[in-house]
Every structure is written in C-alpha cells, then in structure tokens.
Amino acid sequence: MSQKKQIPLKEHVAELACPAHGGLIREMADRYGIPESDMLDLSASLNPLGSPFEHPSGSLDLDAVLEKAAKRFGQYPDNRYLEYRTAAVNFLGNGLSVDNIVPGNGSCEIIRLVAEAVLDEGDVVLIPHPTFAEYEQQCKVAGADVRYIRQEDVMDLSDDVLEGAKILFVCNPNNPSGKLRSREDLLKLAERCASKHTLLFLDEAFIELADDPSQSISDVVESNDYLFILRSLTKDFAIPGIRIGFGIASKRVSDALNTARLSWNLGSIPEEVGIAVMSMEGGCDSPYLVQSREAIKKDRAYLIERISKIRKFIPIDTEINYILVDISNSAFDSTELTRRLAAHGVLIRDCSSFPFMGKDFVRIAVRPKEETDRLSRAMGKVVVEKAREDARSDLIDMLESGDVRPQGPNTDCPYYPCHHFPGQDCTFCFCPFYKCEDERTGGKWVDRSSGGKVWSCEDCVIVHKKDVVEQILNELSGEGSMGDKLKKAWTKVLEPLL
C-alpha cells in the first residue's frame, strides 16, 4: 500500500528548489549587519543611469505618475490594459498593434503564463546552458521534461531534436554570458522552429541596453505563431521594485494568452509607471536610452580595465550592462569571493547556481565609475585578507611540522616570482606583521589610483633576509598563541633592527 502524501501537492512541485537570483540587498544587509543604504549592489544588472524619474534625460515626474495612479485605487484595473499595450506598441515602433501585446507583472509571471498555456506534463523543453534560471523553474512547475543543451549548439540542433521539443528558450542577450545573437541567425532559427511546430521563446529582457538593439526580431511575430518574445521594463529603466513587462506574439497567440493570464495582473501603480516610461519620446531611441547605452559602453570598459588589474581575475567583454569574470585560476571560488565581498557591503553574482558553470565565474553589473572604484577597493581588501589567512595557515602548518628552516624561492607558488624584488627568500610569502604601519621598515602609505591610501611593503625587505627569517621562525616555533608569538617576534627581532 502506497504511503499517504504529507502535503496535497504534485510531487514535482513539492520537490522544487527556489532558483538563485541577484539583488538580495535586504537579506545580505541582515546577514552581515550592514545598513541597506550602505550596500553596493552589483549583482542585479540594472541600467547604470538610474531610473528616468531620477535622471535628467528622462524628464519624468514620479509624483505626478503616482498621483494619477492614486485616483484609481478605488477601482479594479481595466483588464484590457489598452493604454499600457498602446504605450508598448509605440515604444517598440515596429508596426505592431495592441493585439500583439500581453501585459505582465514582470518577466517571471510571463514565463509562467507561457509555460502553463503551452506545456503538458512530460513535454520536452530545450534550455541552452548557462542561462536564466526561471525558464527551468516555471517549466518544472508545469511538469515539463527540461533538457539542457549547449549555447553553441542552438543554431545546429538536428531536426529530430527540435521537432521533439515543445519550447526552445533563447535569451538574447544571454544572461549571464552577455552574448548578443544576430538578427539574421534568430530569423533563421524562428523559421526552423515554426516548421517543426516548436515554440521559440525569445527573451529580449536586456535588448534595449545592448550595444545594438536592432538585433531584435519582435517585428516578425505576426507572421509566426511559433514565436513569443519577452520584454522587461525593470532592467531598462532600473525599477525592479515595480514588476512590469510584456510579451509580444501574433494576434492569435496574444488573444489566447490575454484570456489565460491572471485577471488584473497589473495594479494601477505599475500600469501608470509602465505607460510613463514607455511613452518617452523616441521609444527605444529616447535620449534616456541612447545615453544609457553610451554610458554602459564607457563604464563597461572602465570596469574591465579595473578587474584586469587584479591578478588571475579575467574579465570577459560583453555587449550588455554586465560582465562575466573568470576566477578559475585565482585563490577563490565564486562562492567564497561573493561571500567575502558581501561582508564588505559589495554584492556580486555568484554564477555557481547557473547549471554547468561550476564555481569558476562571477557576474558583475556595469555601474558608474565611483561604484566600480568601490568594488575595486573591496576586491583589493578581500585579496589581501585571503592571502594573509592562507599565509598564516601555511606558516602554522609549517611550524607544526617542524620544518621551519628557510627553503628559498618557492617556484610552485602561484605568485612566484614576487613582484616586489628579485632573489628573495620565500619562507614568508606574506609578511606575518602586515600591515605594521611602521615607516622605519621602508614601508609607506601610497595613494590608490581610485582614491584613498593603502599600506605598501614594496620597499621593505626585512622579513626576506635569511638571518632575520631564522630568528622570527625560532620565536614563532615557541609556546603560546600565534598572536602573542608575533608580538614577541616583533619586539625581540624587528625592533632592534629598526
């Protein structure tokens, strides 16, 4: 006899895990005891200009928008959302009509709507990896059979594979890689999907912020019932707290989805905010969005330049407002680096939650120069902290093993040769007294290129002299805590030399 279910849910729903996302400002502030206002969020990829209600090029009055919305607080929304859909059509500026627009309460609701409307339990969906986690989540809620394919195989899928799938998800530009596929390739893919009766779900949530928004294929939906396009307003206009977006499809598909979607899925505030931001003169080429794309290119180049200066961090250029950083050769994995930076009030995206990415990558949002400088300073601090902890740990292991004589340069060390000076003894790869702040050693405070000062040991060679190393190690090999032994070594060995 089968065991009675503990809860009245479908088994595949009860076993779901919540997908990871960026933007966890409140959660991280609580965890590390840092005020929310002091957190720097580079984990959510939003328009670095800020919202058009704040930036001069937007020329939008938030108070006026909220006042207009407040007049309808006592009414149910008009579930047709004709004004919102009209604003979306004007924003796109590609000849479509309100009949092609499906209003949505953010991207996730729209993905859920399509999954529920298209998929039966057991239907196959194809998701190129790595990409946005919500495609898998919402398809699994519908009971679909999710199969991952490689991003580089999307254009070369066999007829059999394509025909066997109900939906193929493609994110353009892709999250988290930032790759922007060409309009020509996507038109070919849309045609192939239609011929195999496979829905191409094309996520263009970041397209207005991409280097070349003209790669969109939203203008061809009317002639293809097997093409659905997702647009998000939260990234474009830096308003993630207002959940708004829309889908684009043929009239037949849109009519069905507008019937199937939740009634009144937009309240009066998100509806009015959406109408306002999409009604700016020029649509996708409004002064605000044009300046946004220009700022992204400039700030992205600066971000890449700063990250490149951190040893063994490899930034990967993109065509959008975020970059990937390969840290596979560094002393960190993505989870540790993300955690350490969060403790300093800086949030980046740990990409280990993206399928098949492992712990080798982090994603960092493009932000204005001063915020990138703060990130750079925080990264410098965590690199120093990590090196210091690892060096102390190695030193303690060495002391406990009894092998405490100077060994000469360690050519297996990932930091060899040390950039400070040639020919040094490497017993102390990291000075156990850092940062002593005693200028008698030759160390000194130097100016950072990003502002502020940092203690530099470049002109200090004391702990790399063999006779000094011998004396320090003799003291550190004694009894007592490491802190007490370091104080004793400084007083007994270093002070007389200074």
Side-chain angles (χ1 to χ4, degrees):
M1 187 167 119
S2 63
Q3 194 174 18
K4 186 177 179 181
K5 286 186 179 180
Q6 297 299 306
I7 51 177
L9 298 176
K10 295 177 181 178
E11 188 173 336
H12 67 266
V13 172
E15 293 175 352
L16 284 174
C18 190
H21 293 293
L24 305 178
I25 296 176
R26 180 169 294 182
E27 180 180 334
M28 293 298 105
D30 288 345
R31 180 176 300 178
Y32 294 103
I34 300 172
E36 287 184 45
S37 58
D38 291 343
M39 299 294 288
L40 173 60
D41 186 13
L42 306 178
S43 66
S45 303
L46 306 174
N47 189 325
L49 252 58
S51 84
F53 298 103
E54 304 165 310
H55 196 270
S57 62
S59 301
L60 295 181
D61 185 342
L62 181 58
D63 289 337
V65 171
L66 294 178
E67 184 179 350
K68 185 177 179 181
K71 292 177 180 177
R72 294 193 286 116
F73 282 0
Q75 308 170 10
Y76 280 98
D78 181 350
N79 194 49
R80 299 172 301 167
Y81 295 109
L82 294 179
E83 191 177 355
Y84 181 88
R85 291 159 71 190
T86 299
V89 168
N90 293 334
F91 178 70
L92 293 171
N94 56 14
L96 297 178
S97 75
V98 294
D99 293 330
N100 300 115
I101 305 298
V102 182
N105 189 253
S107 299
C108 295
E109 189 207 31
I110 297 173
I111 297 168
R112 171 75 68 90
L113 169 63
V114 173
E116 288 178 334
V118 173
L119 297 171
D120 292 316
E121 191 165 341
D123 280 344
V124 172
V125 298
L126 301 176
I127 301 178
H129 68 78
T131 199
F132 187 42
E134 287 293 339
Y135 310 144
E136 176 181 6
Q137 182 78 354
Q138 303 311 327
C139 289
K140 282 188 172 180
V141 170
D145 177 6
V146 174
R147 299 183 186 179
Y148 273 99
I149 58 176
R150 299 190 309 167
Q151 285 284 346
E152 53 267 36
D153 292 339
V154 169
M155 295 303 299
D156 299 315
L157 294 172
S158 70
D159 288 346
D160 288 343
V161 168
L162 201 56
E163 195 167 16
K166 204 70 170 287
I167 305 178
L168 167 62
F169 286 88
V170 174
C171 186
N172 194 50
N174 187 47
N175 176 14
S177 68
K179 177 179 173 56
L180 180 66
R181 296 180 184 274
S182 72
R183 174 179 169 87
E184 180 182 3
D185 283 348
L186 290 170
L187 288 173
K188 290 177 182 176
L189 183 61
E191 188 176 335
R192 281 197 68 208
C193 286
S195 70
K196 302 302 175 187
H197 297 159
T198 301
L199 177 68
L200 174 59
F201 187 108
L202 184 59
D203 184 348
E204 293 185 345
F206 287 97
I207 196 75
E208 281 88 14
L209 300 180
D211 290 354
D212 185 5
S214 68
Q215 299 311 306
S216 169
I217 63 169
S218 61
D219 56 305
V220 302
V221 292
E222 190 51 58
S223 61
N224 187 343
D225 288 340
Y226 286 88
L227 175 62
F228 181 89
I229 294 178
L230 171 66
R231 289 294 186 90
S232 170
L233 303 182
T234 59
K235 285 85 171 176
D236 293 349
F237 302 107
I239 46 174
I242 303 289
R243 308 302 303 147
I244 43 175
F246 58 93
I248 314 168
S250 69
K251 182 180 184 306
R252 290 202 304 174
V253 172
S254 291
D255 283 349
L257 292 176
N258 273 316
T259 301
R261 66 175 163 81
L262 289 172
S263 299
W264 315 301
N265 59 332
L266 295 183
S268 62
I269 290 178
E271 181 183 8
E272 290 299 339
V273 170
I275 291 168
V277 297
M278 289 191 292
S279 298
M280 287 190 292
E281 177 127 13
C284 183
D285 291 320
S286 66
Y288 167 80
L289 284 175
V290 169
Q291 288 183 35
S292 298
R293 291 190 287 270
E294 292 171 351
I296 288 167
K297 288 181 183 179
K298 179 181 176 181
D299 292 335
R300 186 175 64 218
Y302 184 70
L303 173 61
I304 289 172
E305 175 191 342
R306 294 310 303 270
I307 298 297
S308 297
K309 292 180 179 179
I310 302 174
R311 186 176 174 85
K312 301 197 175 182
F313 281 29
I314 303 172
I316 301 170
D317 201 358
T318 66
E319 298 170 88
I320 193 60
N321 62 321
Y322 49 84
I323 66 168
L324 272 184
V325 181
D326 182 345
I327 60 170
S328 58
N329 293 321
S330 76
F332 301 91
D333 65 33
S334 61
T335 301
E336 181 186 16
L337 177 61
T338 302
R339 174 180 55 79
R340 285 178 177 268
L341 284 172
H344 285 277
V346 176
L347 305 182
I348 62 172
R349 181 72 157 86
D350 175 5
C351 289
S352 63
S353 62
F354 289 93
F356 308 103
M357 290 198 79
K359 294 194 173 187
D360 293 336
F361 296 90
V362 293
R363 190 192 70 199
I364 303 176
V366 172
R367 302 296 302 166
K369 179 180 182 295
E370 59 274 15
E371 295 186 19
T372 295
D373 287 341
R374 181 178 164 189
L375 165 72
S376 181
R377 290 192 294 271
M379 281 187 161
K381 289 177 183 177
V382 302
V383 167
V384 168
E385 289 170 356
K386 173 71 171 174
R388 190 173 191 176
E389 290 171 15
D390 289 351
R392 286 276 174 85
S393 176
D394 290 345
L395 178 60
I396 291 171
D397 290 344
M398 185 176 68
L399 291 169
E400 290 177 349
S401 73
D403 183 14
V404 297
R405 301 303 95 188
Q407 299 298 309
N410 177 7
T411 56
D412 293 328
C413 174
Y415 299 101
Y416 179 85
C418 177
H419 70 277
H420 291 317
F421 46 87
Q424 83 281 18
D425 185 276
C426 291
T427 302
F428 291 126
C429 135
F430 192 95
C431 177
F433 304 110
Y434 182 84
K435 53 186 176 175
C436 69
E437 301 184 18
D438 191 325
E439 294 189 349
R440 294 176 297 168
T441 64
K444 58 187 175 183
W445 290 100
V446 297
D447 293 326
R448 288 183 182 274
S449 60
S450 58
K453 291 184 179 293
V454 63
W455 181 255
S456 170
C457 302
E458 185 171 357
D459 294 327
C460 174
V461 299
I462 296 174
V463 297
H464 294 288
K465 293 179 178 178
K466 289 189 178 182
D467 59 334
V468 177
V469 170
E470 289 263 8
Q471 296 177 62
I472 294 173
L473 286 173
N474 284 335
E475 296 300 328
L476 298 184
S477 300
E479 298 295 326
S481 70
M482 182 57 72
D484 290 340
K485 289 188 287 187
L486 283 168
K487 290 178 183 177
K488 184 178 179 182
W490 176 272
T491 302
K492 194 171 180 179
V493 181
L494 269 293
E495 278 290 351
L497 293 173
L498 300 178

